[in-house]
PDB file of all heavy atoms in Angstrom:
ATOM      1  N   ILE A 147       0.868  -1.180   0.000  1.00 92.00           N
ATOM      2  CA  ILE A 147       0.000   0.000   0.000  1.00 92.00           C
ATOM      3  C   ILE A 147       0.900   1.223   0.000  1.00 92.00           C
ATOM      4  O   ILE A 147       1.761   1.375   0.867  1.00 92.00           O
ATOM      5  CB  ILE A 147      -0.939   0.018   1.225  1.00 92.00           C
ATOM      6  CG1 ILE A 147      -1.896  -1.183   1.172  1.00 92.00           C
ATOM      7  CG2 ILE A 147      -1.732   1.308   1.275  1.00 92.00           C
ATOM      8  CD1 ILE A 147      -1.405  -2.423   1.843  1.00 92.00           C
ATOM      9  N   ALA A 148       0.677   2.080  -0.984  1.00 86.00           N
ATOM     10  CA  ALA A 148       1.521   3.267  -1.139  1.00 86.00           C
ATOM     11  C   ALA A 148       0.797   4.515  -0.663  1.00 86.00           C
ATOM     12  O   ALA A 148      -0.433   4.600  -0.715  1.00 86.00           O
ATOM     13  CB  ALA A 148       1.948   3.427  -2.593  1.00 86.00           C
ATOM     14  N   SER A 149       1.568   5.483  -0.216  1.00 80.00           N
ATOM     15  CA  SER A 149       1.033   6.792   0.157  1.00 80.00           C
ATOM     16  C   SER A 149       0.766   7.590  -1.123  1.00 80.00           C
ATOM     17  O   SER A 149       1.166   7.174  -2.212  1.00 80.00           O
ATOM     18  CB  SER A 149       2.047   7.541   1.025  1.00 80.00           C
ATOM     19  OG  SER A 149       3.155   7.934   0.227  1.00 80.00           O
ATOM     20  N   PRO A 150       0.100   8.752  -1.017  1.00 74.00           N
ATOM     21  CA  PRO A 150      -0.113   9.586  -2.211  1.00 74.00           C
ATOM     22  C   PRO A 150       1.180   9.982  -2.913  1.00 74.00           C
ATOM     23  O   PRO A 150       1.179  10.317  -4.086  1.00 74.00           O
ATOM     24  CB  PRO A 150      -0.839  10.815  -1.643  1.00 74.00           C
ATOM     25  CG  PRO A 150      -1.551  10.301  -0.434  1.00 74.00           C
ATOM     26  CD  PRO A 150      -0.611   9.289   0.154  1.00 74.00           C
ATOM     27  N   THR A 151       2.305   9.907  -2.184  1.00 79.00           N
ATOM     28  CA  THR A 151       3.611  10.243  -2.795  1.00 79.00           C
ATOM     29  C   THR A 151       4.321   8.988  -3.316  1.00 79.00           C
ATOM     30  O   THR A 151       5.519   9.026  -3.604  1.00 79.00           O
ATOM     31  CB  THR A 151       4.517  10.953  -1.771  1.00 79.00           C
ATOM     32  OG1 THR A 151       4.699  10.099  -0.621  1.00 79.00           O
ATOM     33  CG2 THR A 151       3.905  12.274  -1.327  1.00 79.00           C
ATOM     34  N   GLU A 152       3.554   7.871  -3.405  1.00 82.00           N
ATOM     35  CA  GLU A 152       4.075   6.607  -3.939  1.00 82.00           C
ATOM     36  C   GLU A 152       5.110   5.936  -3.030  1.00 82.00           C
ATOM     37  O   GLU A 152       5.874   5.082  -3.466  1.00 82.00           O
ATOM     38  CB  GLU A 152       4.675   6.804  -5.346  1.00 82.00           C
ATOM     39  CG  GLU A 152       3.677   7.295  -6.385  1.00 82.00           C
ATOM     40  CD  GLU A 152       2.490   6.361  -6.547  1.00 82.00           C
ATOM     41  OE1 GLU A 152       2.707   5.136  -6.628  1.00 82.00           O
ATOM     42  OE2 GLU A 152       1.342   6.847  -6.572  1.00 82.00           O
ATOM     43  N   ARG A 153       5.119   6.309  -1.763  1.00 87.00           N
ATOM     44  CA  ARG A 153       6.005   5.649  -0.796  1.00 87.00           C
ATOM     45  C   ARG A 153       5.254   4.490  -0.147  1.00 87.00           C
ATOM     46  O   ARG A 153       4.121   4.653   0.323  1.00 87.00           O
ATOM     47  CB  ARG A 153       6.428   6.662   0.276  1.00 87.00           C
ATOM     48  CG  ARG A 153       7.261   6.091   1.416  1.00 87.00           C
ATOM     49  CD  ARG A 153       7.718   7.202   2.347  1.00 87.00           C
ATOM     50  NE  ARG A 153       6.604   7.924   2.930  1.00 87.00           N
ATOM     51  CZ  ARG A 153       6.017   7.596   4.091  1.00 87.00           C
ATOM     52  NH1 ARG A 153       6.445   6.542   4.778  1.00 87.00           N
ATOM     53  NH2 ARG A 153       5.026   8.329   4.566  1.00 87.00           N
ATOM     54  N   THR A 154       5.835   3.307  -0.136  1.00 92.00           N
ATOM     55  CA  THR A 154       5.175   2.154   0.482  1.00 92.00           C
ATOM     56  C   THR A 154       5.092   2.364   1.986  1.00 92.00           C
ATOM     57  O   THR A 154       6.108   2.581   2.649  1.00 92.00           O
ATOM     58  CB  THR A 154       5.927   0.845   0.174  1.00 92.00           C
ATOM     59  OG1 THR A 154       5.948   0.644  -1.238  1.00 92.00           O
ATOM     60  CG2 THR A 154       5.231  -0.343   0.830  1.00 92.00           C
ATOM     61  N   VAL A 155       3.868   2.310   2.525  1.00 92.00           N
ATOM     62  CA  VAL A 155       3.671   2.560   3.951  1.00 92.00           C
ATOM     63  C   VAL A 155       3.140   1.334   4.694  1.00 92.00           C
ATOM     64  O   VAL A 155       3.135   1.299   5.922  1.00 92.00           O
ATOM     65  CB  VAL A 155       2.714   3.752   4.175  1.00 92.00           C
ATOM     66  CG1 VAL A 155       3.340   5.049   3.698  1.00 92.00           C
ATOM     67  CG2 VAL A 155       1.361   3.516   3.497  1.00 92.00           C
ATOM     68  N   HIS A 156       2.677   0.343   3.926  1.00 95.00           N
ATOM     69  CA  HIS A 156       2.091  -0.827   4.582  1.00 95.00           C
ATOM     70  C   HIS A 156       2.074  -1.994   3.606  1.00 95.00           C
ATOM     71  O   HIS A 156       2.024  -1.808   2.397  1.00 95.00           O
ATOM     72  CB  HIS A 156       0.662  -0.508   5.047  1.00 95.00           C
ATOM     73  CG  HIS A 156      -0.039  -1.653   5.714  1.00 95.00           C
ATOM     74  ND1 HIS A 156       0.432  -2.255   6.849  1.00 95.00           N
ATOM     75  CD2 HIS A 156      -1.184  -2.329   5.382  1.00 95.00           C
ATOM     76  CE1 HIS A 156      -0.391  -3.230   7.204  1.00 95.00           C
ATOM     77  NE2 HIS A 156      -1.365  -3.295   6.324  1.00 95.00           N
ATOM     78  N   GLN A 157       2.131  -3.175   4.165  1.00 94.00           N
ATOM     79  CA  GLN A 157       1.968  -4.384   3.358  1.00 94.00           C
ATOM     80  C   GLN A 157       0.824  -5.187   3.967  1.00 94.00           C
ATOM     81  O   GLN A 157       0.831  -5.491   5.159  1.00 94.00           O
ATOM     82  CB  GLN A 157       3.253  -5.218   3.359  1.00 94.00           C
ATOM     83  CG  GLN A 157       3.206  -6.409   2.409  1.00 94.00           C
ATOM     84  CD  GLN A 157       4.538  -7.126   2.335  1.00 94.00           C
ATOM     85  OE1 GLN A 157       4.932  -7.798   3.299  1.00 94.00           O
ATOM     86  NE2 GLN A 157       5.256  -6.995   1.225  1.00 94.00           N
ATOM     87  N   GLY A 158      -0.185  -5.484   3.144  1.00 95.00           N
ATOM     88  CA  GLY A 158      -1.336  -6.225   3.649  1.00 95.00           C
ATOM     89  C   GLY A 158      -0.948  -7.599   4.151  1.00 95.00           C
ATOM     90  O   GLY A 158       0.050  -8.190   3.720  1.00 95.00           O
ATOM     91  N   ILE A 159      -1.741  -8.112   5.072  1.00 96.00           N
ATOM     92  CA  ILE A 159      -1.484  -9.430   5.652  1.00 96.00           C
ATOM     93  C   ILE A 159      -1.501 -10.513   4.564  1.00 96.00           C
ATOM     94  O   ILE A 159      -2.291 -10.448   3.628  1.00 96.00           O
ATOM     95  CB  ILE A 159      -2.553  -9.729   6.733  1.00 96.00           C
ATOM     96  CG1 ILE A 159      -2.276  -8.890   7.985  1.00 96.00           C
ATOM     97  CG2 ILE A 159      -2.599 -11.212   7.088  1.00 96.00           C
ATOM     98  CD1 ILE A 159      -3.344  -9.001   9.041  1.00 96.00           C
ATOM     99  N   PHE A 160      -0.665 -11.496   4.684  1.00 94.00           N
ATOM    100  CA  PHE A 160      -0.700 -12.688   3.839  1.00 94.00           C
ATOM    101  C   PHE A 160       0.109 -13.772   4.557  1.00 94.00           C
ATOM    102  O   PHE A 160       0.855 -13.472   5.489  1.00 94.00           O
ATOM    103  CB  PHE A 160      -0.160 -12.365   2.424  1.00 94.00           C
ATOM    104  CG  PHE A 160       1.326 -12.250   2.305  1.00 94.00           C
ATOM    105  CD1 PHE A 160       2.094 -13.298   1.805  1.00 94.00           C
ATOM    106  CD2 PHE A 160       1.986 -11.089   2.708  1.00 94.00           C
ATOM    107  CE1 PHE A 160       3.475 -13.185   1.701  1.00 94.00           C
ATOM    108  CE2 PHE A 160       3.363 -10.964   2.605  1.00 94.00           C
ATOM    109  CZ  PHE A 160       4.109 -12.019   2.097  1.00 94.00           C
ATOM    110  N   PRO A 161      -0.075 -15.067   4.213  1.00 96.00           N
ATOM    111  CA  PRO A 161      -0.847 -15.618   3.109  1.00 96.00           C
ATOM    112  C   PRO A 161      -2.362 -15.579   3.363  1.00 96.00           C
ATOM    113  O   PRO A 161      -2.802 -15.079   4.399  1.00 96.00           O
ATOM    114  CB  PRO A 161      -0.348 -17.055   3.017  1.00 96.00           C
ATOM    115  CG  PRO A 161       0.022 -17.383   4.441  1.00 96.00           C
ATOM    116  CD  PRO A 161       0.601 -16.114   5.002  1.00 96.00           C
ATOM    117  N   GLU A 162      -3.119 -16.156   2.432  1.00 97.00           N
ATOM    118  CA  GLU A 162      -4.583 -16.038   2.500  1.00 97.00           C
ATOM    119  C   GLU A 162      -5.162 -16.648   3.768  1.00 97.00           C
ATOM    120  O   GLU A 162      -6.115 -16.107   4.337  1.00 97.00           O
ATOM    121  CB  GLU A 162      -5.236 -16.679   1.274  1.00 97.00           C
ATOM    122  CG  GLU A 162      -6.734 -16.400   1.250  1.00 97.00           C
ATOM    123  CD  GLU A 162      -7.476 -17.167   0.184  1.00 97.00           C
ATOM    124  OE1 GLU A 162      -6.950 -18.182  -0.314  1.00 97.00           O
ATOM    125  OE2 GLU A 162      -8.608 -16.755  -0.146  1.00 97.00           O
ATOM    126  N   ALA A 163      -4.614 -17.752   4.230  1.00 98.00           N
ATOM    127  CA  ALA A 163      -5.145 -18.382   5.449  1.00 98.00           C
ATOM    128  C   ALA A 163      -5.132 -17.397   6.608  1.00 98.00           C
ATOM    129  O   ALA A 163      -6.069 -17.349   7.424  1.00 98.00           O
ATOM    130  CB  ALA A 163      -4.330 -19.625   5.791  1.00 98.00           C
ATOM    131  N   ARG A 164      -4.089 -16.590   6.669  1.00 98.00           N
ATOM    132  CA  ARG A 164      -3.989 -15.594   7.749  1.00 98.00           C
ATOM    133  C   ARG A 164      -4.956 -14.437   7.501  1.00 98.00           C
ATOM    134  O   ARG A 164      -5.533 -13.889   8.449  1.00 98.00           O
ATOM    135  CB  ARG A 164      -2.549 -15.077   7.859  1.00 98.00           C
ATOM    136  CG  ARG A 164      -2.351 -14.226   9.091  1.00 98.00           C
ATOM    137  CD  ARG A 164      -0.924 -14.039   9.482  1.00 98.00           C
ATOM    138  NE  ARG A 164      -0.846 -12.936  10.427  1.00 98.00           N
ATOM    139  CZ  ARG A 164      -0.211 -11.799  10.215  1.00 98.00           C
ATOM    140  NH1 ARG A 164       0.424 -11.602   9.067  1.00 98.00           N
ATOM    141  NH2 ARG A 164      -0.205 -10.844  11.118  1.00 98.00           N
ATOM    142  N   ILE A 165      -5.145 -14.045   6.245  1.00 98.00           N
ATOM    143  CA  ILE A 165      -6.119 -12.995   5.922  1.00 98.00           C
ATOM    144  C   ILE A 165      -7.503 -13.408   6.428  1.00 98.00           C
ATOM    145  O   ILE A 165      -8.195 -12.627   7.086  1.00 98.00           O
ATOM    146  CB  ILE A 165      -6.186 -12.743   4.392  1.00 98.00           C
ATOM    147  CG1 ILE A 165      -4.860 -12.183   3.872  1.00 98.00           C
ATOM    148  CG2 ILE A 165      -7.323 -11.784   4.065  1.00 98.00           C
ATOM    149  CD1 ILE A 165      -4.814 -12.055   2.351  1.00 98.00           C
ATOM    150  N   ILE A 166      -7.885 -14.638   6.118  1.00 98.00           N
ATOM    151  CA  ILE A 166      -9.211 -15.135   6.530  1.00 98.00           C
ATOM    152  C   ILE A 166      -9.323 -15.160   8.048  1.00 98.00           C
ATOM    153  O   ILE A 166     -10.332 -14.723   8.627  1.00 98.00           O
ATOM    154  CB  ILE A 166      -9.463 -16.541   5.937  1.00 98.00           C
ATOM    155  CG1 ILE A 166      -9.535 -16.467   4.407  1.00 98.00           C
ATOM    156  CG2 ILE A 166     -10.754 -17.140   6.506  1.00 98.00           C
ATOM    157  CD1 ILE A 166      -9.515 -17.817   3.707  1.00 98.00           C
ATOM    158  N   GLU A 167      -8.284 -15.661   8.705  1.00 98.00           N
ATOM    159  CA  GLU A 167      -8.290 -15.738  10.174  1.00 98.00           C
ATOM    160  C   GLU A 167      -8.455 -14.355  10.804  1.00 98.00           C
ATOM    161  O   GLU A 167      -9.279 -14.154  11.713  1.00 98.00           O
ATOM    162  CB  GLU A 167      -6.982 -16.378  10.649  1.00 98.00           C
ATOM    163  CG  GLU A 167      -6.880 -16.512  12.167  1.00 98.00           C
ATOM    164  CD  GLU A 167      -5.523 -17.032  12.620  1.00 98.00           C
ATOM    165  OE1 GLU A 167      -4.664 -17.320  11.759  1.00 98.00           O
ATOM    166  OE2 GLU A 167      -5.320 -17.137  13.852  1.00 98.00           O
ATOM    167  N   GLU A 168      -7.689 -13.378  10.312  1.00 98.00           N
ATOM    168  CA  GLU A 168      -7.757 -12.028  10.887  1.00 98.00           C
ATOM    169  C   GLU A 168      -9.065 -11.323  10.528  1.00 98.00           C
ATOM    170  O   GLU A 168      -9.608 -10.561  11.338  1.00 98.00           O
ATOM    171  CB  GLU A 168      -6.563 -11.188  10.409  1.00 98.00           C
ATOM    172  CG  GLU A 168      -5.196 -11.756  10.786  1.00 98.00           C
ATOM    173  CD  GLU A 168      -5.028 -11.930  12.288  1.00 98.00           C
ATOM    174  OE1 GLU A 168      -4.705 -10.952  12.966  1.00 98.00           O
ATOM    175  OE2 GLU A 168      -5.233 -13.060  12.775  1.00 98.00           O
ATOM    176  N   MET A 169      -9.594 -11.574   9.338  1.00 98.00           N
ATOM    177  CA  MET A 169     -10.871 -10.972   8.958  1.00 98.00           C
ATOM    178  C   MET A 169     -12.000 -11.497   9.842  1.00 98.00           C
ATOM    179  O   MET A 169     -12.891 -10.732  10.252  1.00 98.00           O
ATOM    180  CB  MET A 169     -11.182 -11.251   7.481  1.00 98.00           C
ATOM    181  CG  MET A 169     -12.472 -10.602   6.984  1.00 98.00           C
ATOM    182  SD  MET A 169     -12.463  -8.786   7.131  1.00 98.00           S
ATOM    183  CE  MET A 169     -11.329  -8.350   5.804  1.00 98.00           C
ATOM    184  N   GLU A 170     -11.970 -12.772  10.154  1.00 98.00           N
ATOM    185  CA  GLU A 170     -12.989 -13.343  11.042  1.00 98.00           C
ATOM    186  C   GLU A 170     -12.922 -12.690  12.422  1.00 98.00           C
ATOM    187  O   GLU A 170     -13.952 -12.399  13.038  1.00 98.00           O
ATOM    188  CB  GLU A 170     -12.815 -14.862  11.157  1.00 98.00           C
ATOM    189  CG  GLU A 170     -13.088 -15.632   9.872  1.00 98.00           C
ATOM    190  CD  GLU A 170     -14.531 -15.548   9.402  1.00 98.00           C
ATOM    191  OE1 GLU A 170     -15.427 -15.382  10.257  1.00 98.00           O
ATOM    192  OE2 GLU A 170     -14.771 -15.643   8.182  1.00 98.00           O
ATOM    193  N   LYS A 171     -11.715 -12.432  12.904  1.00 98.00           N
ATOM    194  CA  LYS A 171     -11.549 -11.744  14.189  1.00 98.00           C
ATOM    195  C   LYS A 171     -12.098 -10.318  14.115  1.00 98.00           C
ATOM    196  O   LYS A 171     -12.757  -9.844  15.048  1.00 98.00           O
ATOM    197  CB  LYS A 171     -10.074 -11.699  14.585  1.00 98.00           C
ATOM    198  CG  LYS A 171      -9.457 -13.045  14.933  1.00 98.00           C
ATOM    199  CD  LYS A 171      -7.975 -12.872  15.219  1.00 98.00           C
ATOM    200  CE  LYS A 171      -7.263 -14.195  15.466  1.00 98.00           C
ATOM    201  NZ  LYS A 171      -5.804 -14.001  15.662  1.00 98.00           N
ATOM    202  N   ALA A 172     -11.811  -9.631  13.012  1.00 98.00           N
ATOM    203  CA  ALA A 172     -12.292  -8.256  12.842  1.00 98.00           C
ATOM    204  C   ALA A 172     -13.819  -8.217  12.808  1.00 98.00           C
ATOM    205  O   ALA A 172     -14.433  -7.293  13.362  1.00 98.00           O
ATOM    206  CB  ALA A 172     -11.709  -7.655  11.560  1.00 98.00           C
ATOM    207  N   LEU A 173     -14.425  -9.205  12.172  1.00 98.00           N
ATOM    208  CA  LEU A 173     -15.889  -9.259  12.094  1.00 98.00           C
ATOM    209  C   LEU A 173     -16.513  -9.539  13.462  1.00 98.00           C
ATOM    210  O   LEU A 173     -17.606  -9.051  13.771  1.00 98.00           O
ATOM    211  CB  LEU A 173     -16.328 -10.317  11.075  1.00 98.00           C
ATOM    212  CG  LEU A 173     -16.114  -9.912   9.607  1.00 98.00           C
ATOM    213  CD1 LEU A 173     -16.211 -11.128   8.690  1.00 98.00           C
ATOM    214  CD2 LEU A 173     -17.108  -8.837   9.188  1.00 98.00           C
ATOM    215  N   VAL A 174     -15.820 -10.308  14.284  1.00 98.00           N
ATOM    216  CA  VAL A 174     -16.294 -10.533  15.662  1.00 98.00           C
ATOM    217  C   VAL A 174     -16.359  -9.204  16.410  1.00 98.00           C
ATOM    218  O   VAL A 174     -17.332  -8.913  17.108  1.00 98.00           O
ATOM    219  CB  VAL A 174     -15.375 -11.532  16.404  1.00 98.00           C
ATOM    220  CG1 VAL A 174     -15.679 -11.527  17.909  1.00 98.00           C
ATOM    221  CG2 VAL A 174     -15.557 -12.937  15.846  1.00 98.00           C
ATOM    222  N   VAL A 175     -15.330  -8.370  16.236  1.00 98.00           N
ATOM    223  CA  VAL A 175     -15.308  -7.044  16.866  1.00 98.00           C
ATOM    224  C   VAL A 175     -16.471  -6.192  16.343  1.00 98.00           C
ATOM    225  O   VAL A 175     -17.180  -5.542  17.114  1.00 98.00           O
ATOM    226  CB  VAL A 175     -13.967  -6.323  16.608  1.00 98.00           C
ATOM    227  CG1 VAL A 175     -14.015  -4.886  17.147  1.00 98.00           C
ATOM    228  CG2 VAL A 175     -12.819  -7.092  17.249  1.00 98.00           C
ATOM    229  N   LEU A 176     -16.675  -6.202  15.032  1.00 98.00           N
ATOM    230  CA  LEU A 176     -17.736  -5.389  14.422  1.00 98.00           C
ATOM    231  C   LEU A 176     -19.104  -5.714  15.013  1.00 98.00           C
ATOM    232  O   LEU A 176     -19.950  -4.823  15.164  1.00 98.00           O
ATOM    233  CB  LEU A 176     -17.752  -5.609  12.908  1.00 98.00           C
ATOM    234  CG  LEU A 176     -18.792  -4.815  12.112  1.00 98.00           C
ATOM    235  CD1 LEU A 176     -18.528  -3.314  12.211  1.00 98.00           C
ATOM    236  CD2 LEU A 176     -18.799  -5.259  10.646  1.00 98.00           C
ATOM    237  N   HIS A 177     -19.327  -6.971  15.366  1.00 98.00           N
ATOM    238  CA  HIS A 177     -20.646  -7.391  15.855  1.00 98.00           C
ATOM    239  C   HIS A 177     -20.707  -7.557  17.375  1.00 98.00           C
ATOM    240  O   HIS A 177     -21.722  -8.022  17.902  1.00 98.00           O
ATOM    241  CB  HIS A 177     -21.046  -8.707  15.176  1.00 98.00           C
ATOM    242  CG  HIS A 177     -21.256  -8.582  13.696  1.00 98.00           C
ATOM    243  ND1 HIS A 177     -22.380  -8.003  13.161  1.00 98.00           N
ATOM    244  CD2 HIS A 177     -20.463  -8.925  12.648  1.00 98.00           C
ATOM    245  CE1 HIS A 177     -22.289  -8.019  11.835  1.00 98.00           C
ATOM    246  NE2 HIS A 177     -21.139  -8.558  11.505  1.00 98.00           N
ATOM    247  N   ASP A 178     -19.659  -7.145  18.072  1.00 98.00           N
ATOM    248  CA  ASP A 178     -19.613  -7.293  19.536  1.00 98.00           C
ATOM    249  C   ASP A 178     -20.425  -6.178  20.205  1.00 98.00           C
ATOM    250  O   ASP A 178     -19.966  -5.028  20.312  1.00 98.00           O
ATOM    251  CB  ASP A 178     -18.162  -7.245  20.010  1.00 98.00           C
ATOM    252  CG  ASP A 178     -18.024  -7.569  21.484  1.00 98.00           C
ATOM    253  OD1 ASP A 178     -19.058  -7.620  22.194  1.00 98.00           O
ATOM    254  OD2 ASP A 178     -16.877  -7.756  21.948  1.00 98.00           O
ATOM    255  N   GLU A 179     -21.608  -6.505  20.660  1.00 96.00           N
ATOM    256  CA  GLU A 179     -22.505  -5.495  21.231  1.00 96.00           C
ATOM    257  C   GLU A 179     -22.068  -5.013  22.611  1.00 96.00           C
ATOM    258  O   GLU A 179     -22.689  -4.109  23.178  1.00 96.00           O
ATOM    259  CB  GLU A 179     -23.934  -6.038  21.274  1.00 96.00           C
ATOM    260  CG  GLU A 179     -24.491  -6.270  19.866  1.00 96.00           C
ATOM    261  CD  GLU A 179     -25.957  -6.666  19.866  1.00 96.00           C
ATOM    262  OE1 GLU A 179     -26.514  -6.882  20.973  1.00 96.00           O
ATOM    263  OE2 GLU A 179     -26.530  -6.764  18.770  1.00 96.00           O
ATOM    264  N   LYS A 180     -20.998  -5.582  23.153  1.00 96.00           N
ATOM    265  CA  LYS A 180     -20.452  -5.073  24.415  1.00 96.00           C
ATOM    266  C   LYS A 180     -19.596  -3.826  24.184  1.00 96.00           C
ATOM    267  O   LYS A 180     -19.216  -3.146  25.140  1.00 96.00           O
ATOM    268  CB  LYS A 180     -19.608  -6.161  25.095  1.00 96.00           C
ATOM    269  CG  LYS A 180     -20.426  -7.360  25.559  1.00 96.00           C
ATOM    270  CD  LYS A 180     -19.532  -8.422  26.153  1.00 96.00           C
ATOM    271  CE  LYS A 180     -20.341  -9.662  26.551  1.00 96.00           C
ATOM    272  NZ  LYS A 180     -19.466 -10.759  27.041  1.00 96.00           N
TER     273      LYS A 180
END
């Protein structure tokens, strides 16, 4: 992921198994009514 000045500021999570695992965790947070 590059900034508006084309400087790399982040690299997305990988491999895919880890993407899925972390997305499931993020969705748990999104729906946590506490």
Side-chain angles (χ1 to χ4, degrees):
I147 296 90
S149 71
T151 58
E152 299 302 315
R153 175 175 60 90
T154 299
V155 293
H156 179 60
Q157 187 174 71
I159 286 174
F160 77 100
E162 187 189 19
R164 189 162 165 244
I165 295 174
I166 295 169
E167 180 185 358
E168 300 302 278
M169 183 60 73
E170 293 295 332
K171 292 176 185 177
L173 286 165
V174 167
V175 174
L176 181 64
H177 295 284
D178 187 349
E179 295 186 354
K180 294 177 183 176

